[in-house]
Amino acid sequence: MPEQLRSDIRLLGGTLGTVLAEGGGEDLLADVERLRTAVIGAREGTVEAAEITELVDAWPLERAKQVARAFTVYFHLANLAEEHQRMRALRERDDAVHPPRESLAAAVEEVREDCGEDRLAEFVAGMEFHPVLTAHPTEARRRAVSTAILRIGAQLERLHAAHPDSAAEREARRRLTEEVDLLWRTSQLRYTKLDPLDEVRTAMAAFDETIFEVVPQIYRSLDTALDPAGTGTRPPRAPAFMRYGSWIGGDRDGNPFVTHEVTREAITIQSEHVLRSLEEACGRVARTLTAYSNLTPASEDLRDTLATAQAAHPRLTADIAKRSPNEPHRQMLLVAAARLRATRERDADLAYGRPEELLEDLRTVQRSLDAAGARRQAYGELQHLVWQAETFGFHLAELEIRQHSEVHARALEEVRAGGELSEATQEVLATLRVVAWIQERFGVDACRRYIVSFTRSAADVAAVYELAAHALPAGRAPVLDVIPLFETGADLDASPHVLDGMLELPDVRRRLSETGNRLEVMLGYSDSAKDVGPVSATLRLYDVQGRLAAWAERNGVVLTLFHGRGGSLGRGGGPASRALLAQAPGSVDGRFKVTEQGEVIFARYGQKAIAHRHAEQVGHAVLLASTATVQDRAREAADRFRGMADEIAEAAQAAYRELIDTEGFAEWFSRVSPLEELGELRLGSRPSRRSAARGLGDLRAIPWVFAWTQTRVNLPGWYGLGTGLAAASDPEALRAAYAEWPLLASLLDNAEMSLAKTDRAIAERYLRLGGRPELTAKVLEEYDRTRDLVLRTTGHTRLLENRRVLSRAVDLRNPYVDALSHLQLRALNALRGPEAGKLDEEDQRHLERLLLLSVNGVAAGLQNTG
């Protein structure tokens, strides 16, 4: 472990110990230490699991809850220490002579060498990265806990910056202890359910604190890589290649709490935040741009623009001129800042009508500065403001609407019948009217994508256009790009046929002609993996990407694939850059759109350095995945190993379906996991099931993965892979495929991570709660088989052998996660056991609270929920 990380963990752990002793007494600290020592001993083989069970069961429930909270807070602090270590490592790498690995600079260097300068310029000009924030309920931390962690991080930075033994260091230590004490005293659980607008405001924190400032820095990194000597003194060569989207307040699939009123309010909140940020940034640049007119004369274009502003707003411009005499560039930016404020406050006389008007003002200033020889002023901080305006507009992120195809089918049937409309149908029509209002108020790009979940035919797409025509008078319908979402295995297989049908729809043909034949298709990772298992889903998604890319080429369509990846490995998560390089050849083509869900938003956008690194890694992969060299290499490997991959996938899917199709499996799963209690965590506004049905088919993928993670089984990340690998007829070819084919390497590496976070002994205790020994045996046998064959295929002697930092982090965390699992098992045993019916109301309440506290802690320890 790096010495600084070790020091931080020791410091934060010691501070927590002080807080525990002060807040709960020395006996609480002693109990925490006893359990910590015992679980480490169990890992080393010196303590039996039965001894730990006896220790945990002997505590009063109130003490058990305190211990669970102590371990949860410890994980929050350990996660913080690791985050700061990552930021230190990033700073150190940035000082290196050579470009950091997986950076934009490294990609530019590789593509330039491989393809030449002209082809590099083409790739850069067409590059797009479109992250879409969603409110998928996978963030287990309360916002109050997250902000407390950020404050502790700030004090940790202050402590590192202070001179040893100084007053500043002593004050930083005092404040650090104060903040850790507050984190300990802050409830880890939510008492009230989030509503969709709470989720919108939570996402806005990531924008305010990180995203708005980081985006221009990312563009600057690319511009510097393209021309290090010229950046900041010439028009940028790096385009604003990022566009943010959001489902928060727009995704109503199975969430009755997202209404048309919520959607309208969501875009209003977004606009408030981005306009305020643009106003502050514009004012900041203006205050520093004190270029005197004798040295930096205004262009005729700028003088005309100022004169127009003076005629329209004489009092405002006179006041600005008085405060900034002979500083025309500064005056123009101060006018722009005032107009942004008026736009936010809905002052129609002064407000901008469209973001393009702001951009024209900024570029007028920029051109004038360039013409006057002040190129550093033109293309420095002012360029950052231009990039921000280009990226975010006046709406921040495009609000995307999502709804289930069956909802549209029922609504259309009612509308065509001409009778009284149900409340659900009225809501569909009201939503389409709100989309039209958003476009009128903020522009078409603020809300034009409408995603249809479980698209099974072109009729599902046509239904949305027909409903829009019914919702508004002729000529008033909103501009819509209706995007099919293919999720299940069967839907993925049928997707090219559905797209053929879409091309016959007049509304789709019209939009293609208006957009230069651009079309978007969304692929769902979570439900496909839940449907056919992780192995078969991975292969099917790869196949459909290749088939859709070929379909687009045949039909002259510029296709963007929208990847609905979850945060966890069982839902298509993992490093985005590695996943990109494993895509089917031709399916990226310079464009990558992906969901950023729940816990991933805080993990990737909670700190500026990490957000910057994430975007650079994605940009690096987008550029490389678009080159002929990378695609040809992947295509050759796929051709060579595809037959073997089919053998693996077929056997893996059969094993997976055999397990989940077993009679009574759903009930067994509910008994062996905290599935039914997860809803009490109040992670988000969305229900865990699409309807009141209790079967697996209606269960969303998030609680499916979340519950398995809690049991330490992590089944969605690996089940069936062992059977699949055993079916491969040539072990040598299998090892070659792992070395040469990015898809198989990604599949096995992700499975290896899931296996590393699995604990067989503790998992067995959870599985036994279901009273189905044959199912317990089946799961554990598949785990043993998968672990053995993954190690044989990768050539590793232990899990994560080739990923030392990650392996060390998992190994260090596992004993502490064990402690929380023992506490959770105590609660589950009592709530599921034969004596459960005899529990009094108070004990029931305490046990449920202990269960939820332990769920929260395990999520923090494993850094995964759903």
Side-chain angles (χ1 to χ4, degrees):
M1 183 186 295
E3 186 52 42
Q4 185 65 68
L5 175 58
R6 186 190 305 277
S7 174
D8 284 350
I9 289 178
R10 189 181 295 123
L11 167 66
L12 293 169
T15 304
L16 176 59
T18 300
V19 164
L20 293 179
E22 290 176 354
E26 292 288 346
D27 55 338
L28 171 60
L29 181 59
D31 282 340
V32 170
E33 185 59 24
R34 269 193 289 274
L35 181 55
R36 187 186 76 85
T37 304
V39 291
I40 291 173
R43 288 271 167 177
E44 294 172 347
T46 60
V47 175
E48 295 293 329
E51 296 177 53
I52 304 176
T53 302
E54 185 179 344
L55 170 66
V56 168
D57 288 351
W59 287 328
L61 285 171
E62 190 58 43
R63 173 49 52 89
K65 289 193 299 181
Q66 288 180 310
V67 173
R69 285 180 55 231
F71 276 94
T72 300
V73 172
Y74 170 79
F75 277 127
H76 291 319
L77 297 175
N79 292 343
L80 176 66
E82 289 182 354
E83 191 174 76
H84 278 246
Q85 177 60 31
R86 285 199 296 276
M87 290 189 288
R88 276 192 293 270
L90 289 173
R91 286 194 293 267
E92 289 167 7
R93 278 186 224 161
D94 198 41
D95 292 336
V97 175
H98 301 292
R101 188 173 58 88
E102 295 183 340
S103 66
L104 286 164
V108 166
E109 195 174 88
E110 290 179 58
V111 174
R112 180 179 278 141
E113 188 173 313
D114 185 47
C115 306
E117 194 68 40
D118 291 344
R119 194 76 177 109
L120 169 63
E122 287 179 32
F123 283 143
V124 169
M127 183 166 63
E128 297 175 14
F129 174 35
H130 195 155
V132 179
L133 309 182
T134 81
H136 285 52
T138 63
E139 174 56 87
R141 289 169 298 201
R142 293 177 61 212
R143 181 65 187 159
V145 171
S146 296
T147 53
I149 294 167
L150 289 173
R151 291 196 305 270
I152 293 168
Q155 295 305 323
L156 189 62
E157 287 284 350
R158 197 163 290 135
L159 182 60
H160 291 326
H163 192 274
D165 299 322
S166 65
E169 185 193 47
R170 289 192 295 274
E171 176 59 12
R173 285 184 184 277
R174 184 196 68 77
R175 289 284 292 115
L176 179 71
T177 306
E178 179 184 343
E179 293 293 356
V180 172
D181 179 73
L182 187 57
L183 176 61
W184 161 250
R185 296 175 187 279
T186 299
S187 174
Q188 300 293 311
L189 303 177
R190 295 183 178 95
Y191 286 93
T192 56
K193 190 174 181 66
L194 290 174
D195 69 39
L197 294 180
D198 292 328
E199 295 166 333
V200 173
R201 294 184 183 98
T202 297
M204 290 302 96
F207 171 78
D208 293 342
E209 295 163 10
T210 306
I211 294 172
F212 185 75
E213 291 186 33
V214 165
V215 160
Q217 296 170 8
I218 294 161
Y219 300 153
R220 182 64 72 186
S221 295
L222 177 58
D223 198 61
T224 302
L226 292 167
D227 177 16
T231 188
T233 62
R234 50 151 176 79
R237 294 179 58 185
F241 64 86
M242 297 178 70
R243 290 293 182 275
Y244 279 84
S246 177
W247 282 12
I248 309 174
D251 180 10
R252 59 243 307 126
D253 177 13
N255 189 346
F257 306 109
V258 177
T259 63
H260 66 281
E261 294 100 333
V262 165
T263 298
R264 181 182 175 119
E265 184 64 20
I267 197 71
T268 303
I269 292 170
Q270 287 185 190
S271 178
E272 165 76 18
H273 279 260
V274 73
L275 286 169
R276 190 180 295 276
S277 295
L278 287 169
E279 177 192 341
E280 290 173 357
C282 193
R284 185 183 68 251
V285 176
R287 286 190 296 274
T288 61
L289 191 57
T290 53
Y292 187 54
S293 57
N294 283 2
L295 290 174
T296 314
S299 66
E300 183 180 353
D301 193 12
L302 179 60
R303 292 196 301 272
D304 289 346
T305 303
L306 271 174
T308 302
Q310 287 162 2
H313 314 290
R315 187 175 300 175
L316 170 69
T317 52
D319 180 58
I320 288 173
K322 183 178 179 181
R323 289 186 285 118
S324 306
N326 299 312
E327 295 170 344
H329 301 92
R330 188 186 198 189
Q331 290 174 19
M332 190 65 245
L333 290 181
L334 288 171
V335 169
R339 295 192 68 187
L340 283 165
R341 181 170 61 255
T343 308
R344 179 169 55 81
E345 295 174 350
R346 304 296 300 275
D347 177 356
D349 289 340
L350 183 57
Y352 283 114
R354 298 174 299 115
E356 289 77 16
E357 295 173 18
L358 166 66
L359 279 165
E360 181 52 36
D361 281 351
L362 298 179
R363 288 172 178 144
T364 297
V365 175
Q366 202 168 44
R367 289 192 297 268
S368 177
L369 288 166
D370 189 329
R375 295 185 180 86
R376 293 192 183 277
Q377 305 309 316
Y379 303 113
E381 286 302 297
L382 178 56
Q383 179 59 45
H384 286 196
L385 178 57
V386 170
W387 275 326
Q388 286 166 326
E390 288 176 326
T391 300
F392 301 111
F394 289 171
H395 58 277
L396 193 157
E398 181 187 348
L399 191 58
E400 300 189 353
I401 309 298
R402 182 174 75 139
Q403 183 57 283
H404 199 290
S405 59
E406 291 181 4
V407 174
H408 299 138
R410 289 193 295 269
L412 193 55
E413 186 178 353
E414 288 185 20
V415 167
R416 286 172 174 172
E420 186 175 350
L421 301 179
S422 67
E423 187 177 331
T425 296
Q426 291 181 46
E427 175 58 34
V428 170
L429 298 177
T431 296
L432 289 160
R433 295 183 192 111
V434 164
V435 171
W437 175 84
I438 291 172
Q439 292 184 358
E440 185 178 336
R441 171 77 178 82
F442 300 102
V444 169
D445 286 342
C447 184
R448 61 182 169 83
R449 288 178 168 89
Y450 197 117
I451 295 151
V452 181
S453 299
F454 290 92
T455 299
R456 296 197 164 96
S457 72
D460 292 330
V461 173
V464 178
Y465 287 111
E466 187 173 344
L467 287 165
H470 282 290
L472 292 108
R476 295 280 308 282
V479 174
L480 292 176
D481 290 320
V482 182
I483 298 168
L485 167 52
F486 302 109
E487 301 182 76
T488 66
D491 292 345
L492 289 168
D493 291 341
S495 57
H497 176 70
V498 173
L499 296 190
D500 285 336
M502 284 179 60
L503 290 185
E504 298 174 8
L505 300 176
D507 292 297
V508 172
R509 290 202 303 271
R510 185 184 69 253
R511 282 301 292 156
L512 286 171
S513 68
E514 292 168 351
T515 61
N517 277 359
R518 295 175 73 89
L519 185 71
E520 193 169 304
V521 172
M522 185 171 183
L523 306 177
Y525 286 66
S526 302
D527 282 290
S528 58
K530 178 171 163 280
D531 181 38
V532 297
V535 182
S536 186
T538 299
L539 267 294
R540 286 196 187 198
L541 285 160
Y542 181 87
D543 281 347
V544 77
Q545 289 164 21
R547 291 168 63 200
L548 292 177
W551 176 92
E553 188 173 0
R554 286 196 307 273
N555 289 281
V557 168
V558 181
L559 180 68
T560 297
L561 293 178
F562 180 9
H563 302 271
R565 292 180 174 274
S568 63
L569 296 173
R571 296 182 51 242
S577 57
R578 293 176 64 238
L580 253 168
L581 291 169
Q583 303 300 314
S587 65
V588 177
D589 198 22
R591 298 176 297 280
F592 184 56
K593 184 175 179 182
V594 66
T595 50
E596 302 277 38
Q597 301 185 8
E599 63 195 346
V600 170
I601 295 175
F602 190 84
R604 288 179 176 164
Y605 299 101
Q607 296 285 355
K608 292 173 187 174
I610 292 172
H612 193 144
R613 175 61 173 163
H614 168 62
E616 288 234 11
Q617 287 178 306
V618 171
H620 170 273
V622 167
L623 285 172
L624 289 188
S626 304
T627 63
T629 300
V630 169
Q631 292 182 68
D632 288 346
R633 192 182 305 134
R635 190 177 290 110
E636 290 169 8
D639 290 343
R640 179 180 172 192
F641 300 115
R642 187 52 218 244
M644 181 179 61
D646 287 338
E647 292 176 357
I648 294 170
E650 184 178 353
Q653 181 177 337
Y656 178 81
R657 290 302 316 184
E658 181 186 357
L659 173 69
I660 67 170
D661 289 339
T662 302
E663 186 177 352
F665 177 84
E667 293 79 7
W668 177 76
F669 175 47
S670 293
R671 288 187 60 79
V672 304
S673 72
L675 175 66
E676 299 307 323
E677 289 83 4
L678 291 180
E680 295 304 311
L681 278 174
R682 303 178 177 91
L683 299 189
S685 65
R686 193 175 75 172
S688 60
R689 297 179 183 272
R690 285 191 165 90
S691 71
R694 310 309 292 172
L696 284 183
D698 205 62
L699 179 68
R700 289 187 182 274
I702 288 171
W704 164 254
V705 174
F706 196 170
W708 279 119
T709 302
Q710 289 291 314
T711 64
R712 309 291 296 282
V713 180
N714 286 321
L715 181 145
W718 55 264
Y719 196 90
L721 177 59
T723 297
L725 293 175
S729 53
D730 187 347
E732 286 299 321
L734 192 55
R735 284 188 280 274
Y738 173 72
E740 298 173 29
W741 192 12
L743 177 72
L744 196 66
S746 177
L747 173 64
L748 264 66
D749 288 346
N750 285 344
E752 194 172 4
M753 165 67 92
S754 287
L755 292 165
K757 290 187 175 183
T758 299
D759 185 277
R760 192 188 191 284
I762 290 179
E764 185 173 5
R765 290 187 60 196
Y766 280 93
L767 298 177
R768 285 177 179 168
L769 292 172
R772 297 282 299 272
E774 78 284 8
L775 288 177
T776 299
K778 186 185 289 286
V779 170
L780 294 177
E781 285 167 9
E782 183 64 16
Y783 167 80
D784 292 338
R785 183 181 301 113
T786 303
R787 186 180 186 280
D788 177 54
L789 288 173
V790 164
L791 289 175
R792 275 200 242 169
T793 303
T794 60
H796 300 158
T797 58
R798 60 182 178 80
L799 295 172
L800 300 179
E801 184 177 62
N802 64 329
R803 301 169 76 181
R804 290 175 51 218
V805 174
L806 187 57
S807 174
R808 183 173 59 239
V810 171
D811 288 345
L812 288 170
R813 286 165 176 276
N814 273 337
Y816 298 89
V817 180
D818 295 348
L820 286 157
S821 292
H822 282 287
L823 288 160
Q824 188 176 117
L825 279 162
R826 173 182 174 177
L828 273 178
N829 272 308
L831 293 168
R832 303 282 194 270
E835 302 296 313
K838 300 177 183 178
L839 291 170
D840 61 37
E841 189 174 331
E842 185 178 359
D843 279 351
Q844 176 92 14
R845 182 169 52 81
H846 281 302
L847 284 164
E848 288 173 351
R849 189 120 180 112
L850 172 61
L851 179 63
L852 295 178
L853 282 166
S854 64
V855 165
N856 201 291
V858 170
L862 295 177
Q863 296 181 301
N864 279 124
T865 53

